[in-house]
Amino acid sequence: MLRDRAEMSNVSTYLATCSAGFEIEAEKEILRLVPKAEVHSLFFKGNILIKCPSSTDLISILKENETRYIGSIIPVNKAIKISKKKSDLKRVYDEILNLGMLKKGERFVVCCKRRGKHEFTSQDVEREIGGLLEESLGAIVDLKNPAKIVTIQIFQDIAFIGVIRADEVLKKEIKIFRKYKCGERPLTRAEHKLREAIRVFNIEIKPNFRVLDLGAAPGGWTRVLAGLVDHVVSIDPADLDPSVKNLPNVTHLKCKAEDIPRNIGPFDLIVNDMNIDPVKSAKIMVKLADLLKKGSTALMTIKFITRNRKRHVADAIDILKSEYKDFKVRRLPHNRYETTICMRRA
Ligand SMILES: C[S@@+](CC[C@H](N)C(=O)[O-])C[C@H]1O[C@@H](n2cnc3c(N)ncnc32)[C@H](O)[C@@H]1O
């Protein structure tokens, strides 16, 4: 859908940045200035896609009006699907040629920003496509004073391409970065996340429980759990917030989940919020299953490392089912970039 729209001539497409977590505020800011715009959040936080009627000059409107949430705005001429393979750069190059917006003798620069996993770096893209365009069109790479900028913004499997005049790139100052006071945000958000999961999955937590918290720092989940049970063992190579670390019923083992001593069980509940590949996380859960009492609950978040959410969940459950059963899967409102799995030790 993104590709089709970017190609429609009566619609202009732009990518914009904002502070991560402020996509909704950035959208409101755009809609206040251009009520007919459509704004979409992208899979990678802090990036939005804006579509306006092509009669609207969004760059001029944003130049003239004060904004608080919007950062850079880049016009997009084309969006194409790509794979992680380096050979796909040739397709990006072909699309730039097809646009016909770069002419012989024009001074240009290629600017690439890449998000996701690929077999190439942003510099590879800039060098390879810059070289090909010089060779085929007779345009001249000029890093210091280009007249045109070829922008290539890659979001995992979509490449947004623009060929724009240097003065069409707009960088605005983002004035609001934080919703919470310094140091408060991660803890508070994480606490909401766990409370929501406990409620939605109806997880029974008794005061005499011992709980293992994997990937515990800075300590939001540990703090919630410490308020509910006798003892929490928190695992994370990173530091816990001092207000959590000093709680009398919290033990912090400053190590990776892969390295925890085997004699620290048994536990009545294991929670896992490690920000790692879902397959790796599931393998760790399987390895640690014997620390969890039979029939007891385990809760884990599946971080979406690509857009293929269903596959990440399916791959994780495929591994987990050797030791766990009764899987419940929910995408919770406090967890837009992950899925939460609740299960029981088989
Ligand atoms: C999203 S944060 C967890 C937030 C936490 N639940 C809270 O409430 O504050 C992810 C954590 O996982 C930790 N982590 C990543 N890989 C890990 C591993 N292999 N073993 C243990 N912790 C890990 C990171 O250090 C990071 O602190």
Side-chain angles (χ1 to χ4, degrees):
M1 187 178 83
L2 297 176
R3 181 179 50 215
D4 297 340
R5 293 281 185 84
E7 284 166 14
M8 281 165 61
S9 55
N10 55 349
V11 174
S12 298
T13 305
Y14 303 84
L15 282 170
T17 58
C18 58
S19 268
F22 283 89
E23 294 80 6
I24 291 172
E25 287 81 355
E27 173 176 353
K28 284 189 186 148
E29 191 156 73
I30 294 288
L31 293 178
R32 179 173 54 81
L33 296 170
V34 184
K36 284 193 176 156
E38 259 181 55
V39 182
H40 304 268
S41 283
L42 288 169
F43 175 67
F44 291 83
K45 288 185 194 178
N47 294 279
I48 55 174
L49 188 78
I50 306 165
K51 294 171 185 303
C52 299
S54 46
S55 52
T56 307
D57 182 355
L58 182 66
I59 298 283
S60 301
I61 292 174
L62 288 172
K63 266 185 191 163
E64 284 158 17
N65 287 278
E66 167 127 3
T67 55
R68 298 196 296 166
Y69 297 101
I70 302 289
S72 309
I73 301 98
I74 303 172
V76 174
N77 300 110
K78 183 98 184 174
I80 62 163
K81 280 253 180 203
I82 58 161
S83 73
K84 61 181 184 181
K85 294 202 162 53
K86 196 168 180 191
S87 54
D88 265 20
L89 294 184
K90 171 74 171 57
R91 293 186 41 240
V92 176
Y93 159 74
D94 287 340
E95 294 296 346
I96 297 168
L97 279 190
N98 286 343
L99 288 173
M101 294 169 77
L102 194 61
K103 302 275 181 293
K104 185 172 177 179
E106 263 182 329
R107 311 188 89 77
F108 77 102
V109 67
V110 179
C111 291
C112 173
K113 180 135 194 212
R114 191 185 57 82
R115 294 115 176 139
K117 286 189 178 168
H118 302 93
E119 289 172 2
F120 49 84
T121 64
S122 299
Q123 283 90 345
D124 289 339
V125 179
E126 291 171 354
R127 257 185 255 120
E128 181 156 337
I129 293 187
L132 286 169
L133 290 171
E134 262 193 328
E135 225 175 87
S136 60
L137 290 178
I140 303 153
V141 171
D142 184 340
L143 302 182
K144 283 201 180 129
N145 200 16
K148 293 253 174 90
I149 303 179
V150 177
T151 61
I152 303 168
Q153 298 274 324
I154 299 177
F155 292 82
Q156 189 57 44
D157 59 352
I158 303 178
F160 294 96
I161 301 165
V163 180
I164 55 187
R165 290 193 319 270
D167 64 341
E168 279 181 301
V169 179
L170 179 58
K171 281 198 177 127
K172 301 206 74 172
E173 186 195 349
I174 297 179
K175 301 202 179 75
I176 297 187
F177 292 92
R178 286 204 202 101
K179 279 183 186 158
Y180 300 90
K181 282 189 217 127
C182 190
E184 187 193 342
R185 177 182 148 87
L187 274 189
T188 316
R189 265 199 55 206
E191 284 179 38
H192 286 315
K193 219 166 84 167
L194 180 61
R195 286 213 176 86
E196 191 169 43
I198 292 172
R199 184 175 47 76
V200 167
F201 293 115
N202 199 13
I203 298 173
E204 187 188 29
I205 300 184
K206 294 185 181 159
N208 63 347
F209 270 16
R210 292 186 78 241
V211 181
L212 181 64
D213 182 359
L214 304 172
W221 287 27
T222 295
R223 182 149 77 189
V224 170
L225 293 164
L228 299 173
V229 304
D230 275 354
H231 192 201
V232 185
V233 179
S234 304
I235 310 294
D236 203 305
D239 286 327
L240 291 188
D241 186 277
S243 66
V244 179
K245 189 182 166 172
N246 296 329
L247 290 171
N249 57 344
V250 170
T251 305
H252 179 203
L253 300 184
K254 214 164 179 301
C255 64
K256 288 188 160 194
E258 297 90 312
D259 303 328
I260 62 177
R262 306 297 300 177
N263 59 354
I264 59 167
F267 291 96
D268 304 281
L269 172 67
I270 295 183
V271 296
N272 166 1
D273 192 28
M274 291 186 289
N275 51 358
I276 54 175
D277 185 308
V279 164
K280 191 172 168 199
S281 191
K283 285 184 179 162
I284 292 173
M285 289 299 284
V286 166
K287 213 174 129 201
L288 298 180
D290 60 345
L291 297 179
L292 183 64
K293 291 180 186 167
K294 284 208 186 300
S296 293
T297 301
L299 182 79
M300 73 181 278
T301 51
I302 299 286
K303 312 290 179 190
F304 298 141
I305 51 171
T306 73
R307 294 155 60 88
N308 202 340
R309 301 176 175 135
K310 283 193 180 148
R311 183 172 60 75
H312 291 313
V313 173
D315 287 352
I317 291 182
D318 222 33
I319 294 164
L320 291 163
K321 67 187 181 200
S322 65
E323 293 290 348
Y324 298 89
K325 61 180 183 182
D326 299 344
F327 296 96
K328 292 182 210 152
V329 180
R330 286 288 291 270
R331 195 149 164 232
L332 304 172
H334 266 101
N335 265 1
R336 282 184 53 216
Y337 293 90
E338 56 197 46
T339 281
T340 308
I341 299 183
C342 183
M343 58 207 160
R344 287 195 304 124
R345 167 96 202 272

